[in-house]
């Protein structure tokens, strides 16, 4: 679907901005520079305001998603269950550091609690959630993605 | 043990099926309201009488909030908007998520009854952006309710309109704050607004808006079913009804439990969760939010919304039991990372303060604290408490204050 078709589903009112951005994000994986100007025109919002809206969100992206996106919950409960060791293991295995992006290919993030405390520690790779992860499982999980 | 109200039919109902929900008495209260032509103001009075308090943490009386919104709407001739806050992201809390997983239709019914009572022009359910599965579930439920005629124009063939929309949120802790939530719905950056005016006075699109937590909403049909007087008898003085508690940490059976308000921390841990895990020793219990700590001697404090001696403020109902094997430094670091990550960046004290406190937490973890750090924490706390724009700053200060009160000697013993 083209960006125009997506936008036409929504009334050009600012209160529909959030839903429209979610739809664009879903279709293209991110909100590109080019697309954001079209969104600005359609909703009569200045580019700076749109950018500030997108960057305040955890879910909307303004850059192409990486090939491998790893998120690890680092809330207090997961930490009590050993999330730190899982993070170290991933860092050692991929030779990267947490909270950094590598050439747009790999992104490794610590995230806030998602309410999956009972099945923690939780690791999310490219949208798939792995529950009750312990350091010895990390190799097996990551091998599916590289 | 108190009879269950919220979780009564959770094991029997099939979450995806509306028939299954109706078979167990679902939508009965909405039908009652519509068929019996109940006066909206009577329902508001009933909720006010029941003593129901907002389950989103602050515990503001729900009936009072509704009344303010209705009065403002009448005075200024405006529409009321009703927003269900399903943007749960407090660390260690999963009650709203569990409600959506187990009995999503109850949220729709509660919101519909609330909309009837408030004569609201629209109901918006704001779901946390991280949880697309919850969004899909609720959207399906709303669609089913539209098909069955529980929502829409002239519902149940009577002259009542209830419009409902499910919105996927931006995702992030601060969006759970009501004014931020409204900002994000209107298409503005996720930052809190100045209060006052409070949302029931001036909220979504400059209309009076009521923002209620998911758990508050599902309590509404229950109150209508059992009656305000009976509901008021459950719980303790000024905190009525039952509450969902997410109990985690070093207990035998961690999970979600429904218990009456006014229960002691000890009863919750030992009667409901089977006590502590084998060979673990209790260090402290954290209730509601970071920094609200209770040690062994304070286990008989009552979980309630009222601030007084001998009460533990319950907040969102998260209870974390920490044993002596857990290093407080790990927890402090986890909390500081959370604060720094989730600070929206609008006001300087919170943006800078959370970052500086994270640096100190990292030094604490590596056991390389400086002499100045203790004083710095205290200074930052004072600034955060007095000058931050929204309650998030005070929240950071409270966390560090709690940590220092409890563990100062242990953390700074190297000096």
């Amino acid at each position: 679907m083209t960006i125009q078709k997506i936008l036409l589903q929504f009334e050009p009112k600012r209160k529909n901005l959030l839903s429209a951005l979610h739809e664009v994000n879903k279709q293209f994986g991110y909100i590109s520079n080019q697309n954001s100007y079209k969104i600005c025109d359609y909703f009569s919002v200045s580019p700076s305001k749109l950018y500030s809206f997108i960057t305040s969100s955890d879910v909307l992206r303004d850059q192409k998603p990486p090939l491998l996106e790893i998120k690890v919950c680092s809330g207090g409960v997961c930490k009590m269950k050993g999330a730190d060791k899982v993070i170290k293991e991933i860092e050692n295995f991929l030779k990267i550091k947490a909270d950094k992006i590598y050439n747009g290919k790999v992104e490794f993030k610590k995230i806030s609690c998602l309410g999956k405390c009972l099945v923690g520690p939780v690791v999310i790779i490219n949208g798939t959630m792995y529950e009750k992860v312990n350091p010895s499982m990390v190799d097996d999980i990551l091998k599916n993605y590289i | 043990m108190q009879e269950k109200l919220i979780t009564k039919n959770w094991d029997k109902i099939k979450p995806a099926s509306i028939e299954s929900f109706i078979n167990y008495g679902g939508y009965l209260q909405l039908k009652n309201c519509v068929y019996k032509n109940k006066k909206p103001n009577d329902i508001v009075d009933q909720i006010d009488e029941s003593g129901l308090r907002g389950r989103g943490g602050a515990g503001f009386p729900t009936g009072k909030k509704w009344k303010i919104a209705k009065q403002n709407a009448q005075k200024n001739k405006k529409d009321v908007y009703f927003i269900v806050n399903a943007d749960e992201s407090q660390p260690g809390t999963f009650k709203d998520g569990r409600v959506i997983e187990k009995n999503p239709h109850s949220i729709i019914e509660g919101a519909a009854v609330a909309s009837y009572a408030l004569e609201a022009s629209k109901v918006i359910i704001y779901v946390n952006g991280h949880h697309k599965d919850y969004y899909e579930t609720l959207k399906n439920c709303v669609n089913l309710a539209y098909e069955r005629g529980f929502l829409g124009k002239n519902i149940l063939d009577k002259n009542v309109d209830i419009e409902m929309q499910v919105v996927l949120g931006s995702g992030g802790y601060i969006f759970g704050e009501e004014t931020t939530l409204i900002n994000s719905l209107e298409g503005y950056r996720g930052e809190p607004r100045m209060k006052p005016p409070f949302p029931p006075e001036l909220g979504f699109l400059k209309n009076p808006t009521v923002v209620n937590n998911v758990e508050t909403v599902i309590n509404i049909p229950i109150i209508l079913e059992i009656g305000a007087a009976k509901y008021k008898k459950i719980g303790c003085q000024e905190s009525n009804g039952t509450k969902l508690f997410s109990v985690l940490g070093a207990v035998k059976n961690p999970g979600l439990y429904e218990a009456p308000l006014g229960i002691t921390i000890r009863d919750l841990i030992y009667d409901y969760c089977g006590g502590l895990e084998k060979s673990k020793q209790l260090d402290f219990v954290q209730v509601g939010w970071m920094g609200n700590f209770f040690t062994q001697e304070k286990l008989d404090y009552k979980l309630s919304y009222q601030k007084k001696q001998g009460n533990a403020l319950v907040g969102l109902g998260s209870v974390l039991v920490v044993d002596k094997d857990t290093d407080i430094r790990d927890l402090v670091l986890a909390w500081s990372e959370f604060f720094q990550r989730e600070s929206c960046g609008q006001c300087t004290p919170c943006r800078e303060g959370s970052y500086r406190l994270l640096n100190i937490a990292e030094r604490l973890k590596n056991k390389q604290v400086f002499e100045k750090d203790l004083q710095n924490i205290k200074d930052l706390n004072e600034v955060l408490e007095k000058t931050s724009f929204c309650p998030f700053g005070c929240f950071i200060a409270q966390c560090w204050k709690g940590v220092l009160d409890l563990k100062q000697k242990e953390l700074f013993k190297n000096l």
Side-chain angles (χ1 to χ4, degrees):
Chain A
M1 215 193 288
T2 58
I3 178 91
Q4 280 86 0
K5 270 191 184 161
I6 297 172
L7 290 177
L8 282 173
Q9 296 171 2
F10 301 94
E11 246 186 290
K13 282 185 181 162
R14 194 157 180 173
K15 63 171 183 176
N16 293 327
L17 187 62
L18 177 63
S19 309
L21 286 176
H22 267 301
E23 200 57 41
V24 176
N25 201 53
K26 196 173 139 195
Q27 284 289 333
F28 299 98
Y30 71 117
I31 297 149
S32 66
N33 220 351
Q34 233 178 352
N35 283 346
S36 57
Y37 281 111
K38 283 174 187 157
I39 297 168
C40 288
D41 279 349
Y42 189 76
F43 286 105
S44 314
V45 181
S46 72
S48 67
K49 288 275 187 262
L50 185 78
Y51 185 71
S52 84
F53 186 88
I54 296 171
T55 50
S56 75
S57 161
D58 284 357
V59 190
L60 303 171
R61 301 187 68 101
D62 63 334
Q63 268 164 8
K64 216 171 178 178
L67 295 172
L68 182 63
E69 188 187 27
I70 307 169
K71 300 180 199 165
V72 184
C73 173
S74 67
V77 182
C78 279
K79 221 161 216 186
M80 276 170 82
K81 290 182 174 179
D84 267 357
K85 284 175 194 152
V86 173
I87 291 172
K88 275 240 166 70
E89 190 66 30
I90 297 175
E91 284 180 338
N92 287 340
F93 189 81
L94 296 175
K95 309 223 161 26
I96 53 175
K97 283 257 173 268
D99 286 328
K100 280 198 175 142
I101 306 170
Y102 291 86
N103 294 335
K105 282 181 186 156
V106 185
E107 193 177 333
F108 180 25
K109 268 200 293 195
K110 293 186 202 171
I111 54 167
S112 302
C113 182
L114 290 180
K116 304 282 177 197
C117 311
L118 287 174
V119 290
V122 190
V123 178
I124 303 167
I125 304 180
N126 289 357
T128 314
M129 188 182 286
Y130 295 90
E131 296 166 349
K132 292 191 181 171
V133 180
N134 59 46
S136 60
M137 290 158 69
V138 167
D139 298 13
D140 289 335
I141 295 172
L142 284 176
K143 267 177 195 157
N144 298 331
Y145 295 90
I146 25 180
Chain B
M1 232 181 244
Q2 169 65 38
E3 144 194 39
K4 283 176 182 167
L5 297 172
I6 303 167
T7 54
K8 194 170 56 181
N9 295 325
W10 276 16
D11 296 329
K12 300 173 204 156
I13 289 175
K14 286 183 203 145
S17 147
I18 192 166
E19 278 85 15
S20 158
F21 179 62
I22 294 170
N23 285 344
Y24 287 101
Y27 288 109
L28 203 67
Q29 297 312 315
L30 181 66
K31 283 180 193 165
N32 257 346
C33 293
V34 177
Y35 286 142
K36 286 182 185 166
N37 271 333
K38 275 198 190 173
K39 279 189 189 143
N41 281 338
D42 290 350
I43 301 174
V44 177
D45 286 338
Q46 211 174 344
I47 299 296
D48 198 20
E49 263 168 49
S50 73
L52 176 67
R53 277 165 175 259
R55 300 290 196 241
F60 191 80
T62 308
K64 218 169 158 188
K65 200 188 239 181
W66 287 16
K67 276 183 179 166
I68 298 171
K70 281 201 98 165
Q71 280 162 6
N72 273 298
Q74 259 168 9
K75 203 165 72 187
N76 304 326
K77 298 211 170 62
K78 293 223 170 179
D79 294 334
V80 180
Y81 281 84
F82 186 73
I83 298 176
V84 182
N85 185 348
D87 192 292
E88 179 181 55
S89 31
Q90 169 97 346
T93 315
F94 46 88
K95 64 184 176 67
D96 297 350
R98 196 50 67 84
V99 175
I100 298 171
E101 280 168 14
K102 291 278 188 184
N103 195 359
H105 286 284
S106 62
I107 303 171
I108 317 289
E109 190 194 1
V113 174
S115 168
Y116 179 87
L118 288 164
E119 295 165 282
S121 68
K122 194 170 187 180
V123 181
I124 299 169
I125 304 179
Y126 188 93
V127 187
N128 189 339
H130 285 290
H131 294 294
K132 289 200 177 106
D133 44 340
Y134 293 165
Y135 169 69
E136 295 296 336
T137 311
L138 286 172
K139 216 169 138 187
N140 286 340
C141 292
V142 168
N143 287 343
L144 282 172
Y146 265 105
E147 276 170 30
R148 286 299 186 96
F150 292 122
L151 298 176
K153 285 218 152 30
N154 300 329
I155 62 162
L156 303 164
D157 301 321
K158 296 274 179 184
N159 193 17
V160 181
D161 300 343
I162 296 174
E163 293 297 332
M164 201 176 289
Q165 188 195 358
V166 188
V167 173
L168 185 62
S170 285
Y173 177 80
I174 202 70
F175 291 94
E177 201 272 338
E178 51 185 0
T179 55
T180 317
L181 191 157
I182 291 168
N183 255 351
S184 136
L185 276 176
E186 287 181 0
Y188 292 89
R189 186 179 161 83
E191 284 171 346
R193 287 183 191 172
M194 194 68 188
K195 283 197 226 177
F198 291 90
E201 293 158 356
L202 209 65
F204 183 57
L205 302 173
K206 300 202 167 149
N207 290 304
T209 307
V210 175
V211 185
N212 274 159
N213 183 263
V214 164
E215 201 192 332
T216 320
V217 169
I218 56 174
N219 267 304
I220 293 159
I222 294 170
I223 292 170
L224 297 190
E225 188 187 328
I226 66 172
K230 196 179 167 195
Y231 191 86
K232 208 175 164 68
K233 275 185 198 145
I234 306 167
C236 64
Q237 196 196 1
E238 300 235 3
S239 301
N240 309 102
T242 56
K243 167 104 190 72
L244 297 173
F245 291 98
S246 345
V247 190
L248 292 163
V251 286
K252 261 185 201 150
N253 309 312
L256 191 74
Y257 295 92
E258 185 184 353
L261 283 160
I263 189 177
T264 61
I265 304 172
R266 189 187 300 279
D267 284 352
L268 187 68
I269 294 173
Y270 288 92
D271 290 358
Y272 284 77
C273 312
L276 259 71
E277 267 178 272
K278 246 187 191 171
S279 72
K280 298 245 170 153
Q281 271 185 310
L282 183 95
D283 193 358
F284 61 90
V285 181
Q286 174 203 293
V287 180
W289 61 87
M290 294 90 140
N292 199 18
F293 298 140
F294 298 89
T295 46
Q296 184 82 41
E297 310 87 65
K298 292 181 180 171
L299 279 191
D300 287 316
Y301 276 35
K302 281 178 180 172
L303 292 159
S304 143
Y305 284 110
Q306 202 190 8
K307 206 174 184 177
K308 78 170 193 200
Q309 185 60 28
N311 273 3
L313 289 181
V314 34
L316 274 156
S318 61
V319 176
L320 178 66
V321 181
V322 182
D323 62 314
K324 285 197 171 149
D325 298 339
T326 308
D327 193 352
I328 181 82
R329 292 180 177 85
D330 282 334
L331 287 176
V332 171
L333 183 59
W335 294 332
S336 306
E337 280 176 355
F338 166 78
F339 293 140
Q340 197 267 330
R341 200 185 303 124
E342 300 298 343
S343 171
C344 75
Q346 186 180 18
C347 69
T348 315
C350 177
R351 186 180 62 237
E352 284 295 316
S354 60
Y355 177 69
R356 299 294 161 196
L357 286 167
L358 174 62
N359 286 350
I360 295 174
E362 277 166 354
R363 283 204 287 277
L364 278 173
K365 171 75 184 141
N366 300 331
K367 298 188 182 165
Q368 293 168 335
V369 275
F370 303 138
E371 227 166 287
K372 265 184 178 173
D373 281 341
L374 182 61
Q375 191 54 44
N376 281 349
I377 295 173
K378 286 178 181 164
D379 289 349
L380 282 167
N381 274 0
E382 198 183 342
V383 174
L384 276 165
E385 212 158 23
K386 285 182 180 159
T387 62
S388 66
F389 187 78
C390 81
F392 189 66
C394 303
F395 186 51
I396 303 176
Q398 274 168 352
C399 170
W400 277 91
K401 200 167 163 265
V403 170
L404 286 188
D405 285 350
L406 195 70
K407 297 277 176 185
Q408 184 177 334
K409 271 189 193 147
E410 193 188 320
L411 290 174
F412 290 93
K413 68 181 169 195
N414 300 359
L415 297 175

